[in-house]
Amino acid sequence: LDLLIVETEAAPHESVEQQKVRAAQAGDMAAFEWIVQQHEERLFGFCRRWLNCTEDAREVCQDAFVRAWQALPEFEGRAKLSTWLYQIALNLCRDRAKTHASRQRESTMALDDVQHSPECPKQGPAANAEWQSEMQKLERGLAVLPEKLRAALMLTTMEGLSHEECADVLNCSVRGVEGRLYRA
């Protein structure tokens, strides 16, 4: 019995995130708060870019974490946690966009949207104005893309997901992601 090794709560090969996920699945709210802190900024940025509205993005991001908390016991870890969170957020963004479209409500950017845009390079006023103009063109271009193409483009280029991770989020093949990126 002296040779019996007692397994610790966390397997030595597990990352900190995997340990926090397991703890949160067991009901540890502090572990879930750590997960939220690790992912909220990127998830919020994604939602803001998708919806083009800071207020809606805040609500959707919060809802995404509420849904994640509720569904966490079923999370099996086959995909990365971030991929799973993006999938939840994307579904909620799609729902929110459909709701707004059905009401034909035009969203406008709040003044604080500017602080959540990609940071403008520290240059003179002319360069800053050009940067803002280019960012507005990008947002308009993204807005006119069909949803499938926009999602693939945003997830890979703006969020930095690999084609495999993007395929997991969009429930399609890697070739499907590549095709969507080419068409976008």
Side-chain angles (χ1 to χ4, degrees):
L1 293 181
D2 292 337
L3 298 175
L4 181 64
I5 298 174
V6 177
E7 187 177 321
T8 60
E9 275 188 44
H13 64 279
E14 278 188 323
S15 70
V16 172
E17 184 170 88
Q18 290 169 326
Q19 293 172 17
K20 297 291 186 180
V21 167
R22 284 187 338 99
Q25 286 175 318
D28 184 345
M29 184 55 86
F32 186 72
E33 288 173 11
W34 183 92
I35 291 168
V36 170
Q37 289 172 352
Q38 297 302 305
H39 296 279
E40 70 183 333
E41 187 175 321
R42 289 188 69 202
L43 211 61
F44 170 75
F46 171 75
C47 294
R48 205 215 55 76
R49 284 186 293 278
W50 185 269
L51 297 168
N52 201 23
C53 177
T54 300
E55 185 178 312
D56 286 347
R58 281 190 186 113
E59 288 179 23
V60 167
C61 190
Q62 183 176 3
D63 289 347
F65 283 113
V66 168
R67 292 222 180 148
W69 173 253
Q70 292 168 342
L72 198 57
E74 286 82 40
F75 177 69
E76 296 175 0
R78 283 185 259 160
K80 288 174 51 178
L81 180 66
S82 60
T83 302
W84 183 66
L85 291 171
Y86 276 117
Q87 191 172 37
I88 293 170
L90 177 60
N91 288 334
L92 290 170
C93 283
R94 286 174 174 160
D95 291 346
R96 179 64 59 107
K98 286 176 189 171
T99 300
H100 286 297
S102 68
R103 287 190 264 153
Q104 300 202 358
R105 185 180 127 202
E106 193 174 299
S107 66
T108 57
M109 292 180 71
L111 289 178
D112 65 342
D113 280 355
V114 174
Q115 69 186 351
H116 296 295
S117 295
E119 190 158 323
C120 182
K122 304 294 182 211
Q123 299 174 0
N128 288 345
E130 183 179 342
W131 174 263
Q132 289 300 324
S133 174
E134 291 300 313
M135 295 312 304
Q136 289 172 350
K137 286 179 193 176
L138 175 63
E139 287 180 6
R140 283 193 307 269
L142 286 171
V144 298
L145 282 175
E147 184 181 297
K148 286 182 177 184
L149 303 183
R150 182 170 31 132
L153 187 63
M154 288 179 68
L155 289 169
T156 57
T157 60
M158 298 174 137
E159 301 306 319
L161 271 63
S162 70
H163 290 190
E164 293 81 12
E165 292 168 329
C166 185
D168 286 343
V169 171
L170 300 176
N171 293 317
C172 69
S173 68
V174 172
R175 298 275 309 209
V177 169
E178 292 168 353
R180 291 175 189 188
L181 290 173
Y182 178 78
R183 288 190 303 278

